[in-house]
Amino acid sequence: MKKGGRGGFKQPEPAPYATHTLDANKTVTPSPQESPHKGKTGLKRVWNAFFYSLDGFRAAWKHEDAFRQEAILAFILIPLALLLTDAALERALMIASVLLVLIVELINSAIEATVDRISLENHQLAKRAKDIGSAAVLIALVNVLAVWGLVLLG
């Protein structure tokens, strides 16, 4: 921090890794290290985000066998949940548990892709990150079994 007048202190200067700066009008400006798309706001940002999400689904479907398998399972289980019970809350729990598997798998795939982008060499931390992501998917799958079992078997 720089020392200000009368012994007071001024605000600290932004760190070189800062993600944004504020101008005199308090407008957020992305740092040079940040994506230029981060400055978009409102409907334009939402519109762009929608298409980035579709790109993510396409990439997961194309490159991730586990995501494809779980998506096919979801296409089967979600309609089945609608047929197997009439109670709205039970249907919601069953469908949410299946969707949670897809969400966790997408996050796991993103972690794996990021780790592989950084380095393809075997490293203890890379293995740990991938194993933890895999464990999260396993918990989500066990959750499906537990929710479906409790709903269907009482």
Side-chain angles (χ1 to χ4, degrees), residues 53-61 64 66-68 70-71 99-114 133 137:
S53 297
L54 292 180
D55 289 345
F57 280 121
R58 280 190 214 93
W61 185 265
E64 301 296 332
F67 179 78
R68 278 194 305 275
E70 292 156 354
L99 292 177
L100 181 63
V101 171
L102 295 178
I103 293 167
V104 175
E105 183 61 50
L106 287 169
I107 293 169
N108 180 47
S109 296
I111 290 168
E112 288 183 355
T114 302
V137 174

Side-chain angles (χ1 to χ4, degrees), residues 11-70:
Q11 290 288 345
E13 293 183 27
Y17 53 83
T19 58
H20 66 278
T21 56
L22 293 175
D23 63 16
N25 296 325
K26 296 191 179 190
T27 304
V28 177
T29 305
S31 73
Q33 301 152 331
E34 191 174 348
S35 167
H37 304 291
K38 286 289 185 188
K40 301 214 184 321
T41 60
L43 291 178
K44 178 71 171 169
R45 186 199 61 78
V46 173
W47 185 251
N48 288 344
F50 173 74
F51 286 102
Y52 297 144
S53 297
L54 292 180
D55 289 345
F57 280 121
R58 280 190 214 93
W61 185 265
K62 181 178 179 182
H63 299 287
E64 301 296 332
D65 292 337
F67 179 78
R68 278 194 305 275
Q69 293 166 351
E70 292 156 354

